[in-house]
Amino acid sequence: MQLAAIIVSLVLIVVGVALFGRALLQIYNFMRLGQPVPAGTRTNDPTQRTLTVAKEFLGHTRMNRWGIVGVAHWFVAVGFFTLLLTIVNAFGQLFEADWLLPVLGEWAPYNVYVEFIGTMTVIGILALIVIRQLSHPRKPGRKSRFAGSNFGQAYFVETVILIVGVCIFMLHALEGAQHHVDGYEASFFISYPVVAWLRDMDVSTLQNLTYFFAGLKIATSFIWMITVALKTDMGVAWHRFLAFPNIFFKRNATGETSLGALLPMTSGGKPIDFEDPGEDDVFGVSQVEQFSWKGLLDFSTCTECGRCQSQCPAWNTGKPLSPKLLIMSLRDHAHAKAPYLLAGGGKTAEGEEKGSEEQLAAVPAAALAEAERPLIGTAEENGVIDPDVLWSCTTCGACVEQCPVDIEHVDHIVDMRRYQVMIESAFPSEAGTMLKNLEKKGNPWGLAKKQRLEWTKEVDFEVPVVGKDIEDLTEVEYLYWVGCAGALEDRAKKTTKAFAELLHIAGVKFAIMGGDEKCTGDSARRLGNEPLFQELGMENVSALNMAFGEDDEDPATKKPKSAKKIVATCPHCLNTLGNEYPQLGGDYEVIHHTQLLQHLVDEGKLVPVTPVEGIITYHDPCYLGRHNKIYTPPREIIGKVPGLRNEEMHRHKERGFCCGAGGARMWMEERIGKRINNERVDEALSLNPDIVSTACPFCLVMLTDSVNGKKNDGKAKESIQVVDVAQLLLDSVKTPADPAGEPENEREPEPEPAK
């Protein structure tokens, strides 16, 4: 047995190491097929990036949101990387059964660590195996996050980990038995019962057991290594190596999720100048090799865990989009096409073949066939990604928020949309109307710009307008960016008027733009029309800089004398102004209206006194919550309004469910599956609330439409309201004796609760 174990182990080790080294080189060459990224964007602050990797790995910051799964996976992951010396120990035991590692072998702290982590690795993988089986999609459907994952690969990896873990435990116990542990020792605080059982065996039996478990451990480990080396697209195995560089090279060195701003369009690693684009510039992605190298790394790192899928509003309402299946499809296509690309194949901008016949002669037929597949196309066209998959995305960011290895799904979807819109002009027809309105009128409804100021005639106080009532914004504390919806959509205008009135009551000096401002371009950009976003954005930046008094600088600091403070009621405007306009030369301090209102309440400048009775549930707007991490202020305000009892929906905060309007979906019909806003409202109605509240005009419209539909169908009570947090606060700040909200000269008695 000993000789056979030694020979088999040596062969497997040599073959495994050689193949694994080749696989690493293949993966490196594969990543180089991707496009470069702008200099420094993925490698800045290497110290901080290293700390981020350590924090995410050691803290399992994403995984631990999932309770026992995170804890179990932590032990499995830590065991894999920190028990590598047990392989060396096992190899030595093949030659001498009672062999110990020099120095460490007799060091109690090391043995205690091996005992504990080895045991917990076994328990951890057993827990993960049970969880996978309990979540197994035994029937066709979408409830399981594992639907569509490669179960055979997962079973292989789980079996390997379980066998290796058991071998580590048994070999450690055999060490104790062979070294005559007569009493309890800390080094064997878990395995001592097994040690006690083994030590009664004769030396020959102990030696043969040692050879067996040492050989089994080495054989299993290196069979795994050979298998994954031959299949470099096995994400469930390779993620344990590729996750580290993928996290290191993530967009934000400090570890924030890759949400908020979209990345600027680049070609060949350089930003595209849309006023004078280069002849060879590539717009968007139409071939898998046009993704950046970070994109190819993303695809290869996918663990197929399905956390993104389980949180995706499109997948949960019967749409064809699953972020997991999207990434898996791109990974499989990229790896299958790689031999063709590595041989010099590919298409020029004019669609001509790059590689010569001689270069492509040795390329496997399967790779040549894969190269002919369109990246975006229907099943009839043999496309890799169906167009309906692209247009189902709301860019809510739930996938990016949940991904344990920091895959940037939204960026890749928008890159593919950009090509479809800018080159193919292939997108839902309703969105075309929105784009035309933005081009001609500067707003998605196509209304005249003078209508942006109509709401100011419906309030009982003066609303200063920049360039008309005040020269510039140095005279006020805030610019209130009303936005298109806030100025032009009837339901959103109620929020606008309520917020403006609250600022007036609190004595906050603010002003609005004069109507010449245009849409921030959020929907245009997320639809994929980057040039239109750039055009709208640069016009707005120019207007804003002029309104803030761009020449009014402090000579000493070369900075504006007054802070460029903007408050917005629309999270999409907030995100674009604060996170994306810096790409266009506009740097502003942008806050959401709920943040300012919470501050005013805390300062006592707004005092909610009138009860607003009933149960309320708050819906987190995606672009306020996940994209900008603003969860607390709206809830703080609701908590200060007397009479309200807040009930959280099952999916809230980081796991909040989209209303269905993001990613330009506001302007597109939902023709597949259940409407996303109906799914969200059904969740809200399950709490039997009197009020559904939110803090976004898009969400307000979507939720109101669904609630009204439910009322018409008799599925919702007639009294239920959908309101913005600002409207709630205004109702409570106003007293029955003071309906206009004007400050009173004398303190009035405490009002009676509303009946």
Side-chain angles (χ1 to χ4, degrees), residues 189-389:
F189 72 103
I190 297 173
S191 64
Y192 186 75
V194 180
V195 173
W197 170 63
L198 290 171
R199 71 182 178 191
D200 292 331
M201 298 180 182
D202 59 73
V203 174
S204 176
T205 302
L206 290 175
Q207 289 176 340
N208 285 330
L209 283 173
T210 301
Y211 301 147
F212 171 76
F213 282 109
L216 180 61
K217 173 176 168 47
I218 292 172
T220 303
S221 299
F222 285 92
I223 286 172
W224 175 85
M225 180 178 281
I226 291 168
T227 302
V228 301
L230 294 173
K231 191 164 180 58
T232 54
D233 60 352
M234 190 191 292
V236 72
W238 275 101
H239 80 271
R240 63 181 56 191
F241 304 109
L242 299 181
F244 295 103
N246 208 49
I247 295 170
F248 183 89
F249 293 122
K250 68 188 296 185
R251 189 196 296 183
N252 301 308
T254 50
E256 293 90 348
T257 51
S258 301
L259 294 172
L262 283 177
L263 296 175
M265 269 188 73
T266 60
S267 180
K270 297 179 180 178
I272 296 174
D273 180 357
F274 286 97
E275 294 182 356
D276 184 24
E279 291 184 6
D280 297 327
D281 281 350
V282 177
F283 298 95
V285 169
S286 64
Q287 301 290 330
V288 73
E289 64 270 24
Q290 291 170 351
F291 285 107
S292 70
W293 59 261
K294 176 58 170 66
L296 298 183
L297 180 58
D298 270 357
F299 308 154
S300 297
T301 308
C302 178
T303 72
E304 303 181 22
C305 66
R307 287 170 179 79
C308 57
Q309 180 174 284
S310 70
Q311 302 297 301
C312 177
W315 181 257
N316 277 278
T317 54
K319 314 290 190 293
L321 168 63
S322 156
K324 177 186 72 177
L325 298 179
L326 172 89
I327 296 298
M328 288 171 60
S329 296
L330 291 171
R331 176 197 65 198
D332 294 345
H333 172 61
H335 279 267
K337 189 178 179 180
Y340 163 79
L341 296 171
L342 290 169
K347 304 288 185 182
T348 65
E350 293 75 25
E352 298 177 358
E353 181 62 59
K354 290 181 180 177
S356 65
E357 290 186 14
E358 292 78 10
Q359 287 177 301
L360 302 179
V363 175
L368 292 172
E370 194 70 26
E372 293 301 316
R373 296 181 67 191
L375 182 68
I376 302 152
T378 63
E380 292 76 16
E381 297 167 333
N382 196 29
V384 178
I385 304 298
D386 192 284
D388 283 334
V389 168

